[in-house]
Amino acid sequence: MQHRVIGLLKNETVLVVAAVIALVSCILIPPDRQYLGYIHVNTLTQLGSLMMVVCGFQRIGVFHAIGAGLLSRVRSVRGLALVLVSLPFFSSMFITNDVALVTFVPFAIAVLIMAGLESHALLIVTLMTLGANVGSMLTPIGNAHNLYLKARSEMPTGEFLLLMAPYALVAALMLFLCCWFAFRNQHLDKFEGMDAQEIRHSILAPREEGIQPQVKEMQRSSGWRIAIYLLLFLVCLLGVAKLIPQWTMVLVVVVTFLICDRRVFLHVDWGLLLTFVAFFIFIGNARRIPQFYNLVSGLVNIHPLITSVLCSQVISNVPTALLVSGFSTAWRSIILGTNLGGLGTLVASMASLISYKAVVKQYPSKKGEYLKIYTAFNLLFLVVLVGMALLLE
């Protein structure tokens, strides 16, 4: 029992904290009919549906197949770095930053071991983490808080993309320059003569030490599933854009997975949805406490962008988005602040902990060195992008 409690605290820290403060708020504001208005159902249905579809793709090995296909064309160390950093940058725009890192960081470490380039692992994982966080900020479906903020603000998708595009482009240029100057154009012959399937087999080969990459072999029978999951992804996009009813989106996704792959329901991160529910309850109750509401709204509205950035450094950007949006309607500033606020400290974006755990598991003696590299590059990106935001907004 004790081990289970410790495991829950380690794996679902944010959920536990959210549940505790929600329960405390329920003591101060006893449950009544107004509670029904706390929960933003659209956010939960959209997020849940997208998580199921992305999980479906993961389970048939699509993302690793794409990565292996790109690696088969790599002929230099610099090219390898660019490919590995590009994978989470672009994929996070569609499958969220945490899924991109769960998928590609262990994959990248396995590739670097195979290529004899482990000396570059800490820097490449740092840049991959940055790539996932700045790539995901471009789209409403790139991360959970963007989905929520778009729904709350009712901002059109085109306007959201135009708001975040300049920052994503500058961040992409910075990532490119980092790869260009940090890695030599040294010839890499490890992947010569190997096709994507051979690369996947090599990465899948068990090793005696270190992490075993969670790379799934894509089966030949997966073709029909890919087609169906792509259609489901389109259904989710239509639901997010409010072109089809939310209940239609949920019904289509749930019924399809009941037929195609029921085990998806066991692998979806339902804890994230429960975290949102807990924060909805806390914020709904907090708004009904005059002293708390006046204090927080006063602080937030002094400078919503800077407040969002600073708050994210301590409690991470998803809780910050839920908290700040309950006390301000400065949507552009909140969207920018919570996305840029995902850079900086290790906890600014909870997705960054995925990379940290992967590095510590493979290189336990280098966690201090990784934190130094991670913090230095994150602060650089944070200062440049926040400075840009202050000039443009």
Side-chain angles (χ1 to χ4, degrees):
M1 182 65 180
Q2 182 179 359
H3 293 296
R4 289 185 179 181
V5 172
I6 294 174
L8 178 64
L9 291 173
K10 284 185 176 181
N11 298 324
E12 298 289 353
T13 305
V14 178
L15 172 58
V16 172
V17 172
V20 169
I21 61 175
L23 287 172
V24 171
S25 73
C26 290
I27 296 172
L28 299 174
I29 306 292
D32 55 22
R33 289 186 178 182
Q34 291 189 46
Y35 271 57
L36 297 176
Y38 292 171
I39 310 300
H40 202 270
V41 178
N42 282 359
T43 298
L44 299 179
T45 55
Q46 292 168 9
L47 184 57
S49 298
L50 280 166
M51 287 195 300
M52 282 188 276
V53 175
V54 171
C55 184
F57 278 120
Q58 275 187 304
R59 282 178 49 76
I60 58 175
V62 168
F63 305 129
H64 289 128
I66 294 171
L70 292 171
L71 287 177
S72 66
R73 295 169 173 79
V74 166
R75 295 295 178 266
S76 69
V77 175
R78 182 183 292 159
L80 176 63
L82 285 169
V83 167
L84 291 177
V85 173
S86 296
L87 283 170
F89 175 78
F90 288 106
S91 66
S92 65
M93 298 176 187
F94 306 100
I95 65 174
T96 73
N97 52 350
D98 53 346
V99 173
L101 293 174
V102 165
T103 302
F104 290 116
V105 167
F107 176 85
I109 292 175
V111 167
L112 293 171
I113 292 172
M114 174 180 157
L117 296 171
E118 282 190 274
S119 59
H120 298 302
L122 301 187
L123 179 55
I124 286 180
V125 172
T126 294
L127 295 177
M128 289 178 72
T129 307
L130 276 166
N133 286 332
V134 298
S136 66
M137 71 183 181
L138 175 64
T139 66
I141 61 173
N143 51 55
H145 69 268
N146 274 357
L147 202 60
Y148 166 71
L149 291 174
K150 181 187 180 302
R152 276 293 307 274
S153 65
E154 298 185 348
M155 181 181 289
T157 301
E159 184 180 342
F160 190 102
L161 294 173
L162 287 175
L163 172 63
M164 298 309 306
Y167 305 94
L169 287 172
V170 170
L173 176 61
M174 292 176 70
L175 286 170
F176 176 81
L177 291 175
C178 287
C179 289
W180 187 267
F181 289 108
F183 303 100
R184 295 179 297 170
N185 200 31
Q186 180 182 351
H187 180 68
L188 181 67
D189 58 6
K190 185 65 180 180
F191 304 117
E192 282 189 15
M194 298 177 68
D195 59 20
Q197 186 175 2
E198 289 173 320
I199 291 174
R200 289 203 305 275
H201 280 306
S202 297
I203 296 172
L204 277 165
R207 298 190 300 274
E208 293 181 2
E209 298 179 350
I211 65 170
Q212 298 301 321
Q214 307 256 336
V215 183
K216 292 182 180 292
E217 185 71 30
M218 192 164 69
Q219 300 173 357
R220 293 180 181 178
S221 60
S222 298
W224 64 272
R225 282 196 171 91
I226 294 174
I228 290 175
Y229 295 169
L230 284 173
L231 290 175
L232 288 181
F233 188 72
L234 177 60
V235 168
C236 290
L237 293 181
L238 293 174
V240 171
K242 297 184 178 180
L243 297 177
I244 62 172
Q246 299 296 298
W247 67 266
T248 302
M249 173 189 67
V250 174
L251 183 63
V252 169
V253 171
V254 170
V255 170
T256 302
F257 278 111
L258 283 173
I259 296 170
C260 294
D261 186 2
R262 295 180 184 179
R263 295 186 67 83
V264 159
F265 296 101
L266 300 176
H267 295 277
V268 170
D269 183 12
W270 301 113
L272 180 59
L273 297 184
L274 292 175
T275 301
F276 268 75
V277 171
F279 272 113
F280 288 150
I281 293 172
F282 165 69
I283 292 166
N285 285 332
R287 288 172 60 86
R288 295 169 63 182
I289 303 173
Q291 299 87 341
F292 186 85
Y293 178 83
N294 292 334
L295 174 64
V296 176
S297 61
L299 291 173
V300 169
N301 286 300
I302 292 174
H303 204 303
L305 192 153
I306 294 299
T307 301
S308 299
V309 170
L310 294 177
C311 192
S312 296
Q313 303 307 303
V314 181
I315 66 172
S316 89
N317 54 1
V318 173
T320 295
L322 298 174
L323 178 63
V324 174
S325 64
F327 301 91
S328 174
T329 56
W331 297 118
R332 289 178 64 91
S333 295
I334 295 172
I335 290 170
L336 280 171
T338 52
N339 276 293
L340 301 183
L343 307 172
T345 64
L346 187 64
V347 298
S349 171
M350 296 303 288
S352 301
L353 292 173
I354 295 169
S355 301
Y356 175 73
K357 289 177 182 177
V359 168
V360 170
K361 190 171 184 179
Q362 179 66 27
Y363 310 107
S365 63
K366 295 185 177 181
K367 58 183 178 182
E369 184 181 351
Y370 174 76
L371 285 174
K372 289 179 183 178
I373 296 172
Y374 176 89
T375 303
F377 277 86
N378 267 265
L379 289 177
L380 171 63
F381 276 66
L382 181 64
V383 169
V384 170
L385 295 177
V386 170
M388 179 179 167
L390 293 175
L391 290 174
L392 294 180
E393 295 297 318

